[in-house]
Amino acid sequence: MNPPPLVRDLIRATSRQAVLWRKEDLLLYEYDALSALRQPEAVVFPTSTQEVVRVIRVAARHGLPVIPRGAGTGLSGGATVAQRGIVVGFSRMNKIVEIDLENQRARVQPGVVNLDLSAAVSDAGYYFAPDPSSQKACTVGGNVAENSGGPHTLAYGVTTNHVLGLEVVLPDGNVVHTGAKFWDRPGYDLTGLLVGSEGTLGIVTEITVRLSRLPEAVNTLVAIYDRVSDATQTVAAITARGITPAALEMMDGFTLRAVEAATHAGYPTDSAAVLLIEVEGLREAVEEQTETIEAVCREHSAREIRRAHSAEERALLWKGRKNAFGALGRIAPNYYVQDGVIPRTRLPEMLEYTAEVEKKYELRIGNIFHAGDGNLHPLIMFDARDPSQCERVGRAAKDLMVKCVEMGGSITGEHGVGVEKNELMPLLFSDDDLAMLRRIKEVFNPLGLLNPGKVLPTGKICGELRVQASVGA
Amino acid sequence: MASSVQSAHMELAAWVGSDHLSDDPAVCRAAAVDGKAPALVVYPSTAEEVAGILRIAATAGLTVIPFRNRTQLDIGNPPERYDVGLSLKEMNNVWHYEPSDLTISVEPGMKLGDLQYLAAQDHLWLPLDPPGGVKASLGGTLATNATGPLGHGYGSPRDVVLGMKIATTEGKIIKTGGRVVKNVAGYDLAKLLIGSYGTLGVIVEANLKLYPLPRQRATYVLRAKSLGMARELRRCILATPLHFLRFLLVNPAGARWLRQGTPLAVESTKPEIWMEAGGSERVLERTQKSLEDLCREAGVSVETCGGAEAESVWNRASEFRHAVVEAQPGTVVVRASLPIAACEEFLSAAQQEAESAEFAALGSPGVGTVHAAISGYRDLGDAGSTIRRLRQSARSFGGALVVERCPVALKAPLDVWGDPGDDFDLMRKIKAAWDPQRTLAPGRMIGRI
């Protein structure tokens, strides 16, 4: 079979080895970690900014959109094809271009894996702070697109707080540079605007990030509760004592049992909830904060408080937490991860509401959150072969999102809007708000060639969540 | 233009009430920007009123500059036109304050000092110390992304804003972000507005992240023998796990200025490093001990101070940009933004470039910002060429230089922002998309946008 003209043009723009176009090769690119949509017309793996420019020119000539893709670990369908288009995969642009320790900066290509960047500077005592659960696989480019968070963003902020500059290819093939190696470059903060724009404003081809100092001491605690409400109340009480832990995570009993069965991390399977708490910093500060936190946990009827005594124990506890989604995948054919945010003091109320939703739709929901910053990840268990369940999952998820908004929160804290929630945007934003977002999009992407069908509502389906059918782990 | 001002005057008076608007020449002169006085000053008291004022002005083809306490208003090129002064002094409300969520929503006219007073009741604070200090308004601080020495420990305004409401030139009020600490729904328009100097919209409400007040604080002073030694000390200290709220490097003239009129006034002939740490007694003891161990080898002693003494010095740092001009009118203040490693070298090069002029500099090397005041230059031509040389020097280190204060006559030939980069075309298009009539502060921002 001879390659079609589009593919021949893409090969000319890159190389023969850089283009996938046979149906069986494209299968994988229907998916990200949310679900499958459509097959792209082709997938291309550029190796340089210049190749990205040539690819985008080919796409424009063929009137096809471009969908940038890192590792495909996204949870809102951002790297999938909503209509038609060419997927630009960044797995071959995976070089750390520069590490500049005295300036606490690194310049990386978008395909660099999040954890590889930290590993490259850890011997010198530095790391890249954003730590999404998928950090072993996800790329810095993807983190920039989604403004990714992670457990430790409680103390250190999300991706946008650690990105200083970008090289960006615009849909007309122009290459521009936003921000700088230093902070507060004069002019509008286009870097801040581009981070989290989900590939709809430009294609990022190089990223300047801030590197952070590794802490001198770390303490990881697990507080075990017999009542969920005691755990949620502890969260606010820790903050009220003036402590901002590096991470403050919560898992309910249902989630714990699944995690323990999969990871054997040592979580108690007979409890109602646990808090996974980490404090970092100067040795003296860590010791004092640990004591205070332990006291707060006891005041709130924690049954037991355990400390990780070694790096291995700590790693195991985090492995349990970071692989929790997958662990739940073992107990139901499918699960749907939600991502909502509420003010952290409303956690007890939100959990009660989640229990009501569970009952109302007869679905099991696992609760796992970044409790410290009020970022919830309810996991709705279901069987995608049952259409009635699928329909109930969608309604349950939407109810949860509506509640988040009512509490003054948001419909996504770190997974992004993508194709999953773009039709829910009117829950948060008025027509006037959305109109100003559209004007920004028109400045960068006037013809809609970059990642169409994402972020902004298309108006085709009103107020609906795109229910997905994750394949589980 | 005069007739459109007149008809808009009536419309604005009908919109905000005639007692919320003034064309008194003295009032207008007091609202002048770079010597240019508006024909009217309006005092809206609600977000809706701000939006309406912008709509009326844009429809009539008038131009508007928003302000509150004028602490950052000197920054920028002279306005191309300036018809209506938009004073936000009546917008001081706190809309939501949730101490246990560590969030607060305020109107732009609220002064930083008032917010700090309120938050301190709950042992919280907003860790910003922009030029102008407690007198700076929240709106002005955000619109100019103004930072001070606390930027070292807490970052800039862009790191503490969770969301905002913005009045547009079409008379709409739009929102971005929210009141929660994590939110990735939609483009982050707050980032765009922060540091846009009032050229895209008017911030009418801001949701901010608060932090626990440090239990105790201590200030440490190191007198380096040279800038080279200051660089070594900075390198060593920043490589330790010690955490500082503020980290300031000052040249000898900067040190004299900082200490002047405080109980710590002494004759300084060396560059100094001023650091503030916060935490428990044990943390502060450890910090001091580690600093002493580190400095012993360099033969530098660690002086400590705290309480009101230290406070007075840090307040002086916030007032630097304003006080140097008050003390000596005509003083030029520049802000160099640099890679961290280049701060000391820039200071040393700048000192030479300033030649015979008096040159006082306060830098935050941990974040790469240097504020320098230049006075005693021969004439404006001399000042202009000094600034150009300093800008060239900042560029050669991979940085940029903005002239924050200077005589107005210097602004036209200089361009206070310096040359824009290859992303300027996008900035120009964003300005055109959001403010097509160029109603807001035309000509003031980068590229005279």
Side-chain angles (χ1 to χ4, degrees):
Chain A
M1 192 167 125
N2 277 330
L6 167 72
V7 173
R8 286 203 301 271
D9 287 353
L10 287 172
I11 289 170
R12 261 198 299 277
T14 55
S15 65
R16 183 162 295 277
Q17 295 74 34
V19 184
L20 299 177
W21 58 280
R22 290 188 172 83
K23 208 169 167 39
E24 60 275 22
D25 291 333
L26 297 178
L27 258 179
L28 174 68
Y29 298 91
E30 288 176 18
Y31 293 91
D32 67 3
L34 175 78
S35 68
L37 282 179
R38 290 180 180 77
Q39 278 199 358
E41 330 297 307
V43 182
V44 57
F45 300 97
T47 56
S48 67
T49 302
Q50 272 324 304
E51 286 191 359
V52 174
V53 169
R54 289 202 290 268
V55 165
I56 206 158
R57 291 202 166 123
V58 169
R61 222 167 35 242
H62 287 265
L64 278 170
V66 162
I67 296 99
R69 180 181 177 100
T73 57
L75 287 155
S76 56
T80 56
V81 182
Q83 294 144 15
R84 305 161 64 217
I86 300 163
V87 166
V88 180
F90 279 98
S91 49
R92 291 183 193 177
M93 284 180 72
N94 60 353
K95 283 177 203 64
I96 297 175
V97 181
E98 184 195 9
I99 291 173
D100 179 352
L101 292 178
E102 191 179 352
N103 283 314
Q104 295 163 21
R105 301 290 184 263
R107 272 192 302 135
V108 302
Q109 290 187 321
V112 169
V113 170
N114 174 298
L115 202 56
D116 289 353
L117 174 57
S118 286
V121 293
S122 66
D123 282 351
Y126 290 87
Y127 74 117
F128 178 54
D131 65 333
S133 291
S134 55
Q135 71 183 141
K136 274 194 238 165
C138 68
T139 62
V140 179
N143 299 162
V144 167
E146 302 296 318
N147 192 13
S148 303
H152 289 80
T153 55
L154 175 58
Y156 305 114
V158 292
T159 301
T160 191
N161 304 105
H162 301 274
V163 171
L164 288 116
L166 299 171
E167 178 184 81
V168 186
V169 178
L170 298 173
D172 59 7
N174 269 321
V175 181
V176 299
H177 300 80
T178 71
K181 199 170 187 174
F182 56 90
W183 80 344
D184 76 352
R185 195 184 126 202
Y188 299 150
D189 179 10
L190 300 184
T191 308
L193 187 61
L194 282 155
V195 175
S197 63
E198 304 191 19
T200 63
L201 298 183
I203 299 188
V204 171
T205 47
E206 192 174 288
I207 303 147
T208 303
V209 302
R210 169 183 292 121
L211 300 172
S212 304
R213 281 289 302 170
L214 280 165
E216 175 183 53
V218 182
N219 255 349
T220 308
L221 305 174
V222 176
I224 302 160
Y225 294 85
D226 289 326
R227 274 201 313 257
V228 176
S229 56
D230 289 332
T232 50
Q233 279 156 15
T234 304
V235 173
I238 289 173
T239 311
R241 294 287 177 93
I243 296 176
T244 304
L248 177 44
E249 303 282 303
M250 180 172 151
M251 289 187 275
D252 69 4
F254 173 69
T255 311
L256 277 176
R257 285 181 278 283
V259 164
E260 197 48 29
T263 320
H264 308 295
Y267 287 111
T269 51
D270 61 340
S271 63
V274 301
L275 294 177
L276 176 60
I277 309 164
E278 195 151 273
V279 281
E280 294 184 352
L282 271 195
R283 225 167 13 246
E284 289 78 2
V286 167
E287 281 167 25
E288 285 170 358
Q289 291 181 353
T290 303
E291 284 160 23
T292 309
I293 288 170
E294 285 177 339
V296 173
C297 292
R298 273 193 295 271
E299 281 162 30
H300 288 83
S301 313
R303 181 175 90 191
E304 191 190 338
I305 302 157
R306 297 180 189 164
R307 275 195 209 190
H309 291 290
S310 64
E312 291 72 32
E313 275 184 41
R314 175 177 176 245
L316 196 57
L317 289 170
W318 276 109
K319 188 178 168 199
R321 164 59 188 89
K322 292 201 171 183
N323 294 335
F325 296 174
L328 279 157
R330 289 159 58 108
I331 51 177
N334 304 86
Y335 65 87
Y336 181 28
V337 186
Q338 256 308 331
D339 171 39
V341 198
I342 55 168
R344 55 197 134 203
T345 48
R346 309 284 297 267
L347 275 177
E349 201 184 323
M350 186 67 198
L351 268 186
E352 280 170 30
Y353 182 75
T354 307
E356 283 171 33
V357 170
E358 256 188 314
K359 227 178 274 165
K360 181 173 167 192
Y361 295 105
E362 295 172 35
L363 291 164
R364 200 72 186 85
I365 303 179
N367 284 295
I368 178 160
F369 349 120
H370 307 305
D373 40 30
N375 186 186
L376 322 169
H377 293 313
L379 279 123
I380 311 175
M381 319 304 298
F382 69 110
D383 185 342
R385 292 165 297 189
D386 175 355
S388 146
Q389 282 195 40
C390 290
E391 188 256 343
R392 279 181 279 142
V393 168
R395 279 162 53 201
K398 186 174 171 189
D399 283 4
L400 293 172
M401 291 301 101
V402 169
K403 190 72 177 176
C404 287
V405 174
E406 278 172 15
M407 286 182 169
S410 172
I411 57 171
T412 171
E414 56 184 10
H415 293 176
V417 175
V419 292
E420 182 197 15
K421 290 178 175 167
N422 55 337
E423 308 302 345
L424 285 190
M425 288 284 275
L427 281 180
L428 274 179
F429 297 109
S430 70
D431 288 349
D432 289 338
D433 301 338
L434 293 170
M436 293 312 260
L437 294 180
R438 284 206 177 85
R439 281 192 210 173
I440 295 294
K441 186 173 163 182
E442 279 156 18
V443 164
F444 286 83
N445 178 16
L447 304 173
L449 282 176
L450 296 175
N451 214 4
K454 315 287 167 68
V455 185
L456 292 166
T458 59
K460 283 176 194 150
I461 0 169
C462 221
E464 285 305 314
L465 202 73
R466 192 185 296 263
V467 180
Q468 61 89 49
S470 165
V471 283
Chain B
M1 187 46 65
S3 64
S4 62
V5 170
Q6 272 164 15
S7 65
H9 187 160
M10 287 163 63
E11 214 180 324
L12 288 169
W15 179 247
V16 295
S18 51
D19 53 337
H20 283 76
L21 162 151
S22 174
D23 59 358
D24 180 329
V27 169
C28 292
R29 267 199 307 279
V33 173
D34 291 331
K36 197 174 277 189
L40 289 174
V41 180
V42 280
Y43 304 90
S45 39
T46 65
E48 288 70 24
E49 285 184 3
V50 173
I53 291 163
L54 295 186
R55 177 180 44 78
I56 292 165
T59 310
L62 302 183
T63 56
V64 178
I65 296 181
F67 60 88
R68 164 66 173 105
N69 233 13
R70 303 180 57 87
T71 55
Q72 325 294 337
L73 205 55
D74 286 319
I75 308 174
N77 286 318
E80 259 170 48
R81 290 170 31 224
Y82 179 22
D83 303 310
V84 179
L86 180 67
S87 167
L88 297 164
K89 73 173 190 177
E90 294 190 9
M91 292 184 63
N92 298 302
N93 279 310
V94 175
W95 290 127
H96 297 274
Y97 173 40
E98 299 288 349
S100 39
D101 276 327
L102 309 184
T103 56
I104 191 166
S105 304
V106 299
E107 288 190 325
M110 186 174 200
K111 284 189 248 176
L112 184 59
D114 294 337
L115 184 147
Q116 303 293 32
Y117 180 79
L118 178 71
Q121 316 295 316
D122 297 296
H123 309 287
L124 302 174
W125 68 327
L126 181 70
L128 296 177
D129 57 348
V134 291
K135 294 194 292 290
S137 70
L138 269 310
T141 303
L142 302 188
T144 60
N145 196 25
T147 53
L150 278 175
H152 178 86
Y154 293 93
S156 70
R158 86 194 277 281
D159 298 305
V160 300
V161 173
L162 305 173
M164 53 172 66
K165 287 187 179 154
I166 304 154
T168 70
T169 56
E170 282 157 353
K172 304 277 172 60
I173 296 165
I174 62 159
K175 81 162 213 180
T176 176
R179 280 189 283 122
V180 284
V181 292
K182 263 165 114 179
N183 194 348
V184 294
Y187 306 142
D188 192 350
L189 298 180
K191 294 284 188 297
L192 187 60
L193 268 284
I194 295 168
S196 67
Y197 287 80
T199 59
L200 291 174
V202 176
I203 299 166
V204 288
E205 187 180 323
N207 307 330
L208 306 164
K209 192 167 152 180
L210 299 174
Y211 290 74
L213 265 171
R215 256 192 279 172
Q216 296 178 56
R217 299 195 221 185
T219 292
Y220 312 95
V221 192
L222 313 179
R223 290 193 224 192
K225 296 191 173 70
S226 63
L227 278 171
M229 180 186 274
R231 177 176 184 172
E232 274 320 298
L233 288 169
R234 185 261 302 158
R235 270 187 183 162
C236 293
I237 294 167
L238 293 187
T240 67
L242 300 176
H243 180 73
F244 294 98
L245 313 178
R246 293 169 157 120
F247 192 111
L248 203 60
L249 167 68
V250 293
N251 75 346
R256 284 194 295 277
W257 190 90
L258 205 58
R259 291 165 172 270
Q260 191 187 317
T262 75
L264 302 166
V266 288
E267 193 46 39
S268 303
T269 52
K270 301 289 179 203
E272 297 179 353
I273 294 175
W274 286 72
M275 293 162 287
E276 187 182 39
S280 68
E281 207 158 313
R282 277 173 70 200
V283 167
L284 296 181
E285 274 168 19
R286 155 75 195 282
T287 303
Q288 181 165 350
K289 186 175 176 307
S290 295
L291 278 177
E292 282 167 352
D293 291 348
L294 204 140
C295 292
R296 197 168 298 124
E297 277 176 41
V300 172
S301 63
V302 180
E303 300 165 42
T304 59
C305 59
E309 284 183 347
E311 189 86 23
S312 62
V313 167
W314 293 117
N315 285 339
R316 292 273 295 165
S318 294
E319 285 155 16
F320 179 69
R321 193 172 78 205
H322 299 92
V324 287
V325 180
E326 265 164 46
Q328 198 165 345
T331 299
V332 171
V333 183
V334 298
R335 182 184 83 227
S337 302
L338 301 154
I340 295 170
C343 285
E344 295 85 2
E345 275 181 86
F346 170 78
L347 266 186
S348 153
Q351 182 88 62
Q352 290 184 1
E353 295 297 353
E355 291 172 351
S356 57
E358 180 80 0
F359 179 80
L362 271 61
S364 289
V367 292
T369 304
V370 175
H371 273 100
I374 305 143
S375 53
Y377 47 81
R378 285 193 306 278
D379 50 35
L380 284 184
D382 180 31
S385 48
T386 302
I387 293 169
R388 281 189 196 93
R389 288 196 305 272
L390 292 181
R391 178 169 278 159
Q392 194 45 46
S393 171
R395 273 203 207 124
S396 71
F397 290 111
L401 183 134
V402 174
V403 183
E404 295 203 327
R405 294 198 74 167
C406 71
V408 178
L410 262 178
K411 286 192 171 185
L414 262 178
D415 192 331
V416 302
W417 302 102
D419 293 332
D422 61 13
D423 57 347
F424 180 66
D425 190 46
L426 289 169
M427 297 183 193
R428 203 180 44 71
K429 286 177 178 163
I430 290 172
K431 169 74 173 172
W434 273 44
D435 180 16
Q437 315 265 4
R438 299 180 78 234
T439 302
L440 283 163
R444 294 219 82 202
M445 229 323 224
I446 194 162
R448 305 190 196 267
I449 213 163

